[in-house]
Structure formats: structure tokens, C-alpha cells
Amino acid sequence: MTSIPPPQFGTDGLRGRAGDAPMDPETLRRVGAALGVLLQRGGGAQKRVLVGDDGRESAPWILEALGQGLAAAEVAVGHVGLCTTPALAWLVAREKVDAGVMISASHNPAHDNGVKIFAADGSKLRDEDEAEIAALAVQLRPADVRPARSRDRSDLLTRYVEGYAAAFPDLDLTGRKVCVDAANGGGAELAPRILRAFGADVVERNCEPDGFNINDGCGALHPEALAAAVVEHGAELGICLDGDGDRGIFVDEKGGVRDGDDVLAFFGRRLHREGRLPGARVVATVMSNLGLHKTLREAGVGVHVTPVGDRNVWLAMRELGAAVGGEQSGHVLFADHGLIGDGLYTGMRLLAAIGREPASAAFAAFRRFPQQLVNVVVARKPALETVPVIAAKAAEVERTLGQDGRLLLRYSGTEPKCRVMIEAADPALCERLCRELADVVARELGA
């Protein structure tokens, strides 16, 4: 029996360079079979799994490998095709299937890919279930693999589009111009289609995926090009999605770029005024700007802080019964949208909420503290507090900042990077301290 290393699930499923472990055919066949075994333990009728992808060139053979493994466990596969992660999650929750698998590396470049697994209710798979899949994948034999069989279920995307009509029954975007950048990814067809269904005059950017151009200088990580297009075309809002559409970064009519903190500040204040913010609080991660806390506090709204990751936001919102939460990076979750991070849905909520008010005015209450973020590529990931030089420098930075700023030092959960983030009232101090600490991290751990 050929052995494989246990596939390591990160904060958002499996992810890596397509063709290399864990994103190689053998590992993925094992993962598919392991998922099938896990599903079959529930007994009953034949199990069904929906699969979608964000258009990367590697998606077809990844689907084939996963499908071979699922076939070994007698699990039926329906292929939705090109779609966003939130669209797949939404469909899984409503089509009474047993699980969903999204083939996507989100905001990563085209040479990467990943696998996100959803439970029957559309939520991300529990940590303990991912651990069991990883353990089973090591035990299963290649001889157990059968030919893949998948059924085309791209027709289901029409139901997702219809779901928007039900969610916004009074929204009419006739005569309103909206720019959308789908990062040449999963939302390239869905986003313009849904906006036009409401009558919007849509200006498309980066909505032509070719398998290799996803996230390439576009989308949520690079909103500057769409900002120029919004001003050029006189649009009232720009919507920037990442490759799989779960993030949304927005552009106001003046070309101002607005991230998840802007969105949380807007909806936190608005929902509180309307009496629709349970507990008078929103949920945000440690990455959110200090200005968000200040803006909401002045409006009588608190912030419940979680570790980084939309899964952590989801858990806290479910526990607290919160109406809205999210991340600065653009993941925003609404309770009345099934706690599914969906960049396009957030954009539609904004369009419905601001009406004919300029977007820049709607966002004006939020005042951001200067923030500096440096991502250092690392060769290894020891606990940062165990590296004396880094720990000493971090302590020095925190003493310098005092009560007027903060330091966040952590590893990425999906990439070989260490994130150094500093906020301070003085932008020059913020930039200097961030660079100094990033240099120390690079010397000690840099690839």
C-alpha cells in the first residue's frame, strides 16, 4: 500500500499548489473516499454531494480525483460547475444533500487550489470531522478507488439567483450603475447576472476566467483598478469579489475603497438604530481596526472580538445570536443569510440600505486608525514567543505603543507567512515599528 502523509486541514480546508500534496491526485482520491466513509456512517438512502469550483485550470482533474474516492464509497456527485463558495454553501443547505465540496483556493494565485468541505446545513465542516477525514485518508488503499461519476447540476444555480429575488423583494436597481470585479473567478457569471436581474446597469471588470487569470492583479486584493472604473463610469458603487466570492471589498462613488470594517461600522450603527441588533453588538476579529471599536462605541454598540477566520466569526455569531459580523478582509456574515460569507450579498445589502444616498456619505462615520500590515514569507512556523529575538522586539514595540496603539503578530493559517500588523495614532510611528519588527521576523524565520 502506498503511504501518504496525513492531509493537513488549515483554517479553510485543504490548500496548496495544485499537483503537490495535499492537492495531488492520490491524496485527493483518499480524501474523497474518506468523506464518503464518514457520510455513509449515518446510514439511510444513498448519500449525495454537490461540488463547485472557481474556474482554475486544475479544477477538472481535482474533481475527477475526488469523484473517484467518493465513488468508492457509493456517494453520488452533482457538479454545479463555476460558482462562488457562498453559492455552493447556500445550495447545499437547501437541496437536502449530505455535503458540499468547493474546489477553490479563494484569494490565492491560479497555481494553487484547495478543497473546502461543507456539512449538510451549509456550514463548514467541524474540526473533528476534518481530523477524522485526514486519519481515514491515510488508511484507505488506492485499490479501493473506482471510476468517477458526476452529474451536471449547473441548473441549480438558477435557484441561487431566485434566492436573491426572494431576499430583496422590493429592491429595484433600474437606472443605478454598479461596477463589479469578479477577480476572474467563481462570481464571473453569477455576479453580473444577479445584478442585472434587479435592473442594474452593470459595468463588468475581470469577469472572463480562463483558468489562469484568477486573482491576477484584480478582485478584492486589488480594488484600485475598479476604483478608477467607478469614477470613470459615474457608478454609485463598485463590488470587488475575491476568487471564490466569499469576500467583498467595495468602492464608493468617489473611488474610496471600503473594506469589511467599513461595512461592519455601517451596518452595526444602522441595525442598532432600527432595533435589529441583538445584544447591541457586532462580531469582529482581532484584525479589525481600533477605529471600528471607537466608531461603534460612540453609537452605543459593542464589539465581540474573535480570533482570525470567518469560521470563528460564525461560531461566535451563532453562540451570541448576533445579526452581523465579519473580518476586515471582506468576509461579512449576516444572520438572515444563513451566516454565509457572501461578497455579492453584502453588496446587495449595501445597495438596498443606502438607496439613493451617496455611498461615501453612508460610510462617513467610520474613522480608521492608521494601520500597517507586512506579510513576511517564512520557512518554518515555531511558536513566536519561543523565538527570543522576535519575542523581545515584539515586547519593545508594545511598550512603545502603550495605550495608543496595538500589535498583532501571527502566522497565516493558509500560507507560509507571518503577519505583522500595527495600529497607532501616529502613522509614521506605525510604519517604522512595523518595518522594524518585520525585519526581525525575516532574519529569524524568513524563507
Side-chain angles (χ1 to χ4, degrees):
M1 179 174 74
T2 303
S3 63
I4 65 167
Q8 298 296 313
F9 283 84
T11 56
D12 211 5
L14 296 176
R15 192 174 298 184
R17 194 175 186 102
D20 295 342
M23 298 306 300
D24 60 292
E26 181 177 359
T27 302
L28 293 168
R29 280 193 293 269
R30 306 279 193 99
V31 168
L35 173 59
V37 169
L38 192 67
L39 295 177
Q40 293 291 14
R41 287 180 180 172
Q46 183 182 32
K47 305 304 178 183
R48 298 184 299 150
V49 173
L50 283 183
V51 182
D53 69 79
D54 65 9
R56 295 167 196 263
E57 182 272 339
S58 55
W61 64 257
I62 291 175
L63 171 64
E64 176 76 9
L66 288 168
Q68 288 171 346
L70 288 163
E74 300 292 344
V75 174
V77 176
H79 185 212
V80 176
L82 181 70
C83 69
T84 61
T85 290
L88 183 75
W90 190 92
L91 288 170
V92 167
R94 286 157 180 80
E95 292 301 313
K96 301 188 185 305
V97 296
D98 300 284
V101 178
M102 183 67 186
I103 302 171
S104 169
S106 189
H107 57 280
N108 285 28
H111 58 64
D112 288 345
N113 217 325
V115 169
K116 303 179 184 183
I117 304 177
F118 295 91
D121 63 356
S123 64
K124 292 183 179 179
L125 211 60
R126 300 179 304 168
D127 290 343
E128 51 266 42
D129 290 330
E130 289 183 339
E132 187 165 6
I133 288 173
L136 284 170
V138 176
Q139 300 168 16
L140 296 174
R141 296 174 178 270
D144 294 335
V145 172
R146 300 182 185 180
R149 297 187 301 274
S150 64
R151 179 184 173 194
D152 182 353
R153 293 312 314 272
S154 56
D155 60 296
L156 292 178
L157 292 174
T158 297
R159 300 186 188 179
Y160 179 67
V161 176
E162 292 170 348
Y164 269 81
F168 301 97
D170 300 321
L171 180 60
D172 182 1
L173 298 180
T174 302
R176 298 173 68 178
K177 185 172 291 187
V178 180
C179 293
V180 62
D181 181 339
N184 292 314
E189 297 174 1
L190 275 176
R193 176 181 173 184
I194 289 171
L195 286 164
R196 290 193 174 104
F198 285 88
D201 179 2
V202 180
V203 178
E204 296 183 28
R205 290 290 184 273
N206 303 303
C207 294
E208 298 179 352
D210 63 10
F212 301 92
N213 59 0
I214 188 170
N215 300 316
D216 186 8
C218 57
L221 293 183
H222 304 279
E224 55 278 358
L226 193 67
V230 167
V231 174
E232 176 188 352
H233 291 276
E236 63 179 77
L237 190 72
I239 301 174
C240 281
L241 306 178
D242 67 337
D244 72 331
D246 57 0
R247 296 188 188 192
I249 299 295
F250 305 96
V251 179
D252 65 35
E253 82 287 354
K254 296 180 179 179
V257 176
R258 308 291 183 167
D259 64 16
D261 283 348
D262 290 276
V263 173
L264 289 178
F266 172 75
F267 280 109
R269 289 164 54 88
R270 184 181 185 88
L271 293 175
H272 184 54
R273 288 197 307 270
E274 296 172 348
R276 298 193 293 137
L277 194 68
R281 64 190 160 201
V282 304
V283 176
T285 76
V286 294
M287 290 294 286
S288 281
N289 191 276
L290 284 176
L292 174 66
H293 295 252
K294 183 175 186 295
T295 299
L296 290 177
R297 185 170 60 247
E298 291 171 349
V301 176
V303 179
H304 178 85
V305 179
T306 76
V308 170
D310 61 327
R311 185 197 299 240
N312 293 315
V313 174
W314 178 84
L315 287 169
M317 289 182 66
R318 188 178 63 169
E319 178 182 345
L320 298 171
V324 64
E327 299 188 277
Q328 186 185 69
S329 61
H331 290 119
V332 177
L333 286 68
F334 293 91
D336 58 6
H337 190 55
L339 296 179
I340 296 172
D342 188 336
L344 180 61
Y345 178 84
T346 304
M348 298 292 284
R349 285 287 294 256
L350 285 169
L351 287 166
I354 64 179
R356 295 291 180 173
E357 177 186 13
S360 59
F363 289 122
F366 177 43
R367 291 289 183 268
R368 187 183 305 274
F369 273 43
Q371 182 185 84
Q372 189 77 17
L373 172 65
V374 176
N375 292 310
V376 181
V377 179
V378 295
R380 53 195 179 93
K381 292 184 176 182
L384 291 163
E385 64 273 15
T386 67
V387 185
V389 178
I390 294 176
K393 183 62 179 178
E396 176 190 325
V397 167
E398 289 182 323
R399 287 194 299 271
T400 302
L401 290 171
Q403 298 299 311
D404 297 322
R406 67 169 179 145
L407 163 67
L408 184 64
L409 183 65
R410 69 174 187 89
Y411 293 116
S412 166
T414 58
E415 299 174 280
K417 294 179 180 179
C418 179
R419 307 202 193 284
V420 182
M421 188 195 80
I422 292 178
E423 290 173 356
D426 180 353
L429 177 66
C430 181
E431 182 177 357
R432 177 175 67 80
L433 292 178
C434 193
R435 176 50 58 192
E436 288 179 1
L437 181 52
D439 287 345
V440 171
V441 173
R443 285 197 301 270
E444 296 296 313
L445 304 177

